[in-house]
Amino acid sequence: FSVRVTDAKGQTATRSLSLTTNRTNSNISFVTSTLPNGVVGKAFGTCSCGADCPTGFTNAIQATGGNGTYDWSISSNSLPAGLSLSNTSSVSTTNITGSPTTTGATTFTVRASSNGNSASKVFTVSVNNAIIHKFTPTSGGQGLKTQLIGEGFDAAFANNTVEFGTAGALATGTALTSAGGCDTLTVNVPAANS
């Protein structure tokens, strides 16, 4: 914009000026509230079980309120081994990519910055050898069967003890099937708990 000054004698001077405003607080906020658990050796945030996948099972972290490009970083601690942050300079979403290599819970802080403003959020990701997405009864009455649907099941998983009820009755007749990376463990529930 231009400013024109006139003195008492009628002489004028004009000068072009610019004005820069800086926000003193951040309007950036995180849309993503939690992240899914991971499975050792499987791509993080992906689910092979179709309709049996939980809602919001994703590797994306999204923020809003920035202006233009966001810069993403891990500002405290680190991601679980085998994972990294991608799209570190993107519009409003970054992704955690890779496959976890070890089990355990990891807490870390993600920072989103845009146009001189930033916000941070703490996330915790647990990595296990298997993950159960859905637990459903498949028939009722005597000989009730139930299914555990998830990923990372193997023969050792099927041989684990499955307990039902407060008495801890043991399940019998387990059967493990896999299709397209999605595993189903069918378990006969003990009669005392059906």
Side-chain angles (χ1 to χ4, degrees), residues 97-118:
T97 59
S99 299
T101 58
T102 58
T103 61
T106 303
T107 300
F108 53 92
T109 303
V110 176
R111 179 183 168 109
S113 302
S114 177
N115 204 29
N117 296 288
S118 65

Side-chain angles (χ1 to χ4, degrees), residues 60-180:
I61 301 174
Q62 185 178 13
T64 187
N67 184 10
T69 301
Y70 288 69
D71 292 315
W72 295 90
S73 62
I74 303 298
S75 61
S76 177
N77 298 325
S78 60
L79 292 169
L83 301 182
S84 61
L85 204 60
S86 69
N87 303 333
T88 55
S89 184
S90 66
V91 178
S92 64
T93 302
T94 188
N95 295 294
I96 296 176
T97 59
S99 299
T101 58
T102 58
T103 61
T106 303
T107 300
F108 53 92
T109 303
V110 176
R111 179 183 168 109
S113 302
S114 177
N115 204 29
N117 296 288
S118 65
S120 296
K121 179 152 181 64
V122 175
F123 292 97
T124 298
V125 169
S126 292
V127 177
N128 301 295
N129 288 315
I131 188 169
I132 297 171
H133 296 304
K134 191 173 181 181
F135 180 86
T136 61
T138 59
S139 61
Q142 190 69 21
L144 172 71
K145 292 184 184 291
T146 192
Q147 288 184 329
L148 305 170
I149 301 169
E151 298 174 77
F153 300 0
D154 59 17
F157 183 87
N159 290 327
N160 284 333
T161 301
V162 180
E163 295 183 8
F164 290 87
T166 55
L170 299 180
T172 59
T174 60
L176 177 63
T177 58
S178 295

